[in-house]
Amino acid sequence: MSRYIPLSIPNFEGNERKYVDDAIDKAWVSTAGSYVTELEKRLAQFLCIDNVSVCQSGTSALHLALVEAGVVPGDIVLVPPLTFIAAVNPVRYQFATPLFIDCDDSLCMDSEKLRRFCQEKCVMENGHLTHNGKIVRALVAVHVFGNMADMETIMEVAGRYNIRVIEDATEALGTRYTKGTYSGKYAGTIGDFGAYSFNGNKIITTGGGGAITAKKPETVDHLRYLSTQAKDDPHFYIHNEVGYNYRMTNLQAALGVAQMEKLTEFIERKHRNFDLYKKLFHGFGLGKLLPYREGTYSNQWFYSLIIDRTKVKAALKEIIAGLQEYGVETRAVWGLINEQLPYMKEECFELEKGPYYGARVLNIPASTQLTEDDIYFAAEKIKAVLEELKE
Ligand SMILES: *Cc1c(COP(=O)(O)O)cnc(C)c1O
């Protein structure tokens, strides 16, 4: 059989089966169940925080964050153009308006452009930053591919202009600062809210699932309440707010607890694999690996090869198809969100790096199961295809 290297697949080498079987044996499969609270406990421990609430998806975590941040119809929420669209859709669930701020060379929000947008395009009115009369209520900072956004500047700017910071850490569970103001702090625990995802291709998975945290533990309690239909009395069905059916199930959480036991090891494997890729692409003229931010320890969830467009002009589609024939699955970075049909008419601020990287970033195989041999194979084929397509 010919060899095939997938881009990113889940890894169930641990206690997954045992815990899921246990949940089934005990017939605790719904949202009440000991694995749900156990997963919350382990996440909080890992992230060095007091309170985390698990939910059905990263998207639902982001939606809850926007609700709790007080985003109401007509508000503006600052969002990135180059990421997975789930980071932006919940803004529309609240009937608010997304406004796109460019990314920097880490693919995360450009903090200096954020500062300039606030300074030059907005005014303070009654304690709120406004743009064309609309309140800029919140921003969504995505830690793209496990790379930490520049939280130092983002927090400073957001503080000055009274903007709530929602960290989309769906791709960055385990990424943390090792230097500076936030040394020791994990992605998702710095802003007002942090959202995580356990979708099938994330660093750990529960099939589908997510988690949310907030600065104050009481806020997380309220988020948990909102995620369980805002039930105020379990026996008499009293509900004093509009809630959601966003709680994680015990079956998902059973998987999650087993995955948490492997998280540190998964991150170490991602590092080992990235280091080998780095060695193999060293001195290669047609593409470079995107580094992770200095002063951080990234979970290195996904690897990005930046194609040199002065030498390789072929579309990403062509490169991906070429590699597919060699048995190596790769992926183009996302299509720009501001160019998608539902968002084409929204305002953008100085988009330049977003489109630049959008046309150049190729994601290469990054599963935790990859062997050294797989990586040699993948790197060799990637180089070969780029050489073939060189002008
Ligand atoms: C995966 C992802 C999400 C959404 O998570 P789901 O659990 O799939 O809902 C949101 N934002 C980004 C950047 C993601 O990569």
Side-chain angles (χ1 to χ4, degrees):
M1 213 181 80
S2 66
R3 191 159 186 180
Y4 186 72
I5 312 224
L7 181 72
S8 172
I9 52 170
N11 184 331
F12 299 129
E13 297 169 351
N15 288 317
E16 289 80 8
R17 234 168 271 273
K18 188 172 144 201
Y19 295 167
V20 172
D21 275 349
D22 178 56
I24 294 172
D25 287 343
K26 294 187 173 127
W28 283 104
V29 294
S30 191
T31 56
S34 60
Y35 285 108
V36 177
T37 40
E38 181 62 24
L39 179 57
E40 289 183 338
K41 205 175 90 191
R42 294 204 190 187
L43 277 165
Q45 237 162 29
F46 178 86
L47 294 167
C48 308
I49 53 177
D50 293 325
N51 203 350
V52 182
S53 180
V54 290
C55 54
Q56 270 177 13
S57 63
T59 310
S60 60
L62 290 163
H63 186 201
L64 287 174
L66 291 166
V67 170
E68 190 74 35
V71 172
V72 293
D75 283 352
I76 288 173
V77 178
L78 306 178
V79 296
L82 189 65
T83 189
F84 185 48
I85 199 160
V88 177
N89 282 336
V91 174
R92 281 284 182 80
Y93 303 168
Q94 287 306 99
F95 299 96
T97 305
L99 191 152
F100 295 93
I101 304 283
D102 203 15
C103 64
D104 63 17
D105 292 315
S106 71
L107 308 186
C108 306
M109 186 176 276
D110 185 320
S111 55
E112 287 309 325
K113 282 188 182 168
L114 168 70
R115 185 198 300 281
R116 269 200 292 112
F117 172 79
C118 296
Q119 251 166 20
E120 294 169 12
K121 303 286 178 191
C122 304
V123 287
M124 282 306 273
E125 285 178 289
N126 305 321
H128 287 294
L129 189 72
T130 64
H131 173 73
N132 298 335
K134 289 177 164 182
I135 295 179
V136 181
R137 189 84 59 182
L139 66 82
V140 179
V142 181
H143 302 292
V144 178
F145 298 142
N147 212 348
M148 184 81 83
D150 172 17
M151 291 308 292
E152 295 198 0
T153 316
I154 289 173
M155 292 305 288
E156 182 224 312
V157 173
R160 172 172 312 172
Y161 294 109
N162 193 18
I163 302 171
R164 298 283 83 75
V165 175
I166 297 165
E167 289 184 78
D168 178 335
T170 51
E171 303 179 357
L173 177 62
T175 294
R176 64 171 196 269
Y177 270 107
T178 52
K179 290 201 183 97
T181 320
Y182 296 116
S183 185
K185 284 276 217 181
Y186 283 86
T189 70
I190 298 166
D192 297 283
F193 302 95
Y196 300 93
S197 166
F198 313 123
N199 194 9
N201 72 345
K202 298 298 195 308
I203 191 136
I204 62 165
T205 185
T206 59
I212 181 159
T213 188
K215 220 170 226 157
K216 293 199 200 106
E218 314 87 83
T219 311
V220 181
D221 289 336
H222 188 247
L223 288 160
R224 191 177 292 109
Y225 161 83
L226 288 179
S227 79
T228 48
Q229 306 285 25
K231 206 182 284 169
D232 281 287
D233 184 295
H235 304 296
F236 294 98
Y237 293 93
I238 307 297
H239 306 263
N240 293 316
E241 285 186 61
V242 175
Y244 301 83
N245 181 12
Y246 278 174
R247 187 81 167 145
M248 182 184 276
T249 69
N250 204 46
L251 274 183
Q252 293 167 307
L255 259 183
V257 170
Q259 291 272 286
M260 274 310 286
E261 293 172 353
K262 304 289 276 186
L263 175 57
T264 303
E265 186 188 328
F266 287 169
I267 296 173
E268 282 163 10
R269 290 195 203 179
K270 295 268 188 191
H271 276 246
R272 203 183 56 207
N273 293 344
F274 185 69
D275 289 345
L276 183 54
Y277 271 126
K278 246 187 346 203
K279 204 174 95 189
L280 297 175
F281 282 110
H282 183 77
F284 178 58
L286 305 180
K288 287 205 175 347
L289 284 168
L290 187 84
Y292 297 93
R293 190 179 294 285
E294 273 200 45
T296 69
Y297 177 81
S298 164
N299 72 354
Q300 303 196 345
W301 171 62
F302 250 47
Y303 312 140
S304 309
L305 189 72
I306 304 162
I307 313 288
D308 185 338
R309 285 306 188 193
T310 62
K311 296 175 186 145
V312 181
K313 299 213 168 65
L316 285 173
K317 214 164 135 185
E318 218 179 314
I319 300 169
I320 291 162
L323 279 161
Q324 192 70 23
E325 274 182 35
Y326 280 128
V328 177
E329 187 185 12
T330 54
R331 194 196 82 165
V333 70
W334 308 274
L336 293 169
I337 300 173
N338 57 294
E339 289 179 359
Q340 309 294 324
L341 202 54
Y343 297 109
M344 281 168 41
K345 297 206 175 91
E346 301 297 1
E347 196 177 336
C348 301
F349 183 70
E350 295 184 1
L351 298 197
E352 175 200 329
K353 297 243 161 112
Y356 177 89
Y357 285 107
R360 281 167 180 75
V361 171
L362 183 76
N363 292 124
I364 62 177
S367 307
T368 51
Q369 294 94 331
L370 289 177
T371 62
E372 270 196 17
D373 203 44
D374 290 334
I375 292 172
Y376 275 99
F377 179 82
E380 184 195 305
K381 298 302 177 202
I382 293 164
K383 286 186 190 172
V385 165
L386 290 175
E387 290 287 354
E388 279 168 32
L389 292 170
K390 191 169 73 170
E391 302 279 297

